[in-house]
Amino acid sequence: LEINLRPMVIGGEDFAGILIVLHDITAVRRLERMRSEFVANVSHELKTPVASVKGFAETLLAGALKDEETAKSFLQIIYDESERLNRLIGDILDLSKIESKRVPLQLSPVHLNSFMDHTLQMLAPEAQKKNIELKLQVEEDLYMEADEDRLRQIMINLLSNGISYTPDGGKVSVTVQAMNVVNGEDPENIRFVIADTGIGIPRKDLPRIFERFYRVDKARSRSSGGTGLGLSIVKHLVELHKGHISVESEVGAGSRFIIELPVLH
Ligand code: ADP
């Protein structure tokens, strides 16, 4: 808030009161601050993997190359960190495109049963590695209008989070359901629930997990190859589809992400 005080002069009287002018500049300032925070965060996030690649390459050059075992493990780290850097750059570019609304949605009818089958198949290898059961329940013959690639991006992000943040032997499930069906007509909304039996999210972190780069546990996100941008991207994509996302979670029991999307645009 910017406040201007001016003495008022009326009809020769020297002092008739004070004029107070209030300008709300918070919105502008907040935008400016968010932008510069984003740049600072991005630089920090990019620097970490680069420093790691540089450090391990230096150690190899300084002689660690001679020991084949050590050299292999260092090269693996360099490879993994480059991959993470790649994902990070991809996510940053994608997010900035989505945020500035430069992504026109390519809408088409999506048959949700085959769409979800296909999406889960893509994640099966990741789940198998951790012996996690992937379960799908879709109401028969559901269709909606959506950007199929973006809808897949939403589901993959949420499902792979579910797999990452669930210990071995756990369960990740998706249910897809029609909402607001009136007189046997087409439903107005589709509800997707992506649930896991994982580590859960502390109550105090819940309101912030959709923020860019916000992680409950930095080390854990890093070791699972996360970029900290997945959920921000998901939220923006859901909103581009005029939908809504929410989350419920209990530490040690699991998390549930609930998405509602309109069937037609
Ligand atoms: P990341 O790349 O770190 O996974 P996301 O934006 O996808 O970034 O998620 C942000 C944070 O929210 C994660 O670091 C993690 O702490 C938390 N989180 C997201 N999904 C889950 C989940 N299914 N179970 C527990 N924690 C989760």
Side-chain angles (χ1 to χ4, degrees):
L1 201 66
E2 196 174 72
I3 306 175
N4 280 321
L5 298 181
R6 281 188 215 136
M8 274 193 324
V9 183
I10 296 175
E13 291 269 343
D14 264 357
F15 184 76
I18 290 179
L19 184 68
I20 303 179
V21 185
L22 307 174
H23 287 285
D24 186 1
I25 53 165
T26 41
V28 179
R29 284 271 160 79
R30 198 183 309 133
L31 254 180
E32 261 169 33
R33 202 178 55 223
M34 272 170 57
R35 200 168 297 136
S36 64
E37 264 172 20
F38 183 55
V39 173
N41 282 338
V42 165
S43 326
H44 175 79
E45 297 287 337
L46 292 174
K47 272 183 182 166
T48 325
V50 171
S52 172
V53 166
K54 186 166 174 238
F56 282 101
E58 267 167 11
T59 319
L60 283 170
L61 288 171
L65 251 185
K66 291 192 194 97
D67 178 49
E68 198 173 327
E69 278 300 292
T70 315
K72 259 199 186 147
S73 80
F74 285 9
L75 283 171
Q76 186 66 50
I77 295 171
I78 290 176
Y79 180 81
D80 292 343
E81 290 293 294
S82 326
E83 281 279 280
R84 220 166 68 80
L85 201 54
N86 229 346
R87 270 200 305 279
L88 198 55
I89 292 167
D91 278 358
I92 290 168
L93 291 177
D94 203 28
L95 185 62
S96 85
K97 251 198 304 188
I98 298 168
E99 277 190 341
S100 60
K101 309 249 178 333
R102 272 183 287 130
V103 246
L105 292 182
Q106 310 279 341
L107 296 174
S108 67
V110 179
H111 180 237
L112 289 171
N113 307 71
S114 45
F115 168 82
M116 287 307 306
D117 266 340
H118 181 226
T119 308
L120 255 75
Q121 269 171 32
M122 292 170 72
L123 288 148
E126 214 179 310
Q128 256 159 28
K129 268 190 233 157
K130 294 181 72 182
N131 191 26
I132 285 176
E133 184 195 347
L134 271 183
K135 228 181 117 189
L136 175 63
Q137 209 183 331
V138 190
E139 241 172 69
E140 266 311 300
D141 261 338
L142 279 188
Y143 279 90
M144 71 176 290
E145 205 178 27
D147 183 320
E148 187 161 337
D149 290 338
R150 294 304 192 171
L151 188 61
R152 180 159 289 119
Q153 198 180 357
I154 294 173
M155 294 302 147
I156 287 180
N157 267 316
L158 292 176
L159 287 163
S160 65
N161 273 352
I163 297 169
S164 291
Y165 298 105
T166 297
D168 289 21
K171 198 169 114 181
V172 175
S173 69
V174 192
T175 57
V176 187
Q177 214 183 344
M179 307 288 291
N180 318 94
V181 186
V182 185
N183 304 331
E185 299 266 313
D186 286 340
E188 276 176 29
N189 296 80
I190 304 283
R191 174 185 282 175
F192 300 81
V193 178
I194 297 95
D196 63 59
T197 58
I199 59 172
I201 302 161
R203 181 179 289 265
K204 69 167 175 42
D205 296 300
L206 275 179
R208 300 198 58 189
I209 56 163
F210 293 102
E211 289 174 22
R212 316 170 180 120
F213 299 122
Y214 191 84
R215 290 118 158 169
V216 176
D217 179 345
K218 275 217 158 178
R220 181 159 195 145
S221 155
R222 225 178 118 70
S223 70
S224 71
T227 63
L229 292 175
L231 286 183
S232 327
I233 293 176
V234 165
K235 186 162 198 268
H236 276 97
L237 289 177
V238 166
E239 285 167 1
L240 273 181
H241 278 90
K242 302 196 175 70
H244 180 260
I245 182 165
S246 61
V247 55
E248 298 163 359
S249 187
E250 197 181 321
V251 171
S255 309
R256 277 161 59 87
F257 288 84
I258 301 137
I259 295 180
E260 272 190 34
L261 299 177
V263 169
L264 294 173
H265 279 259

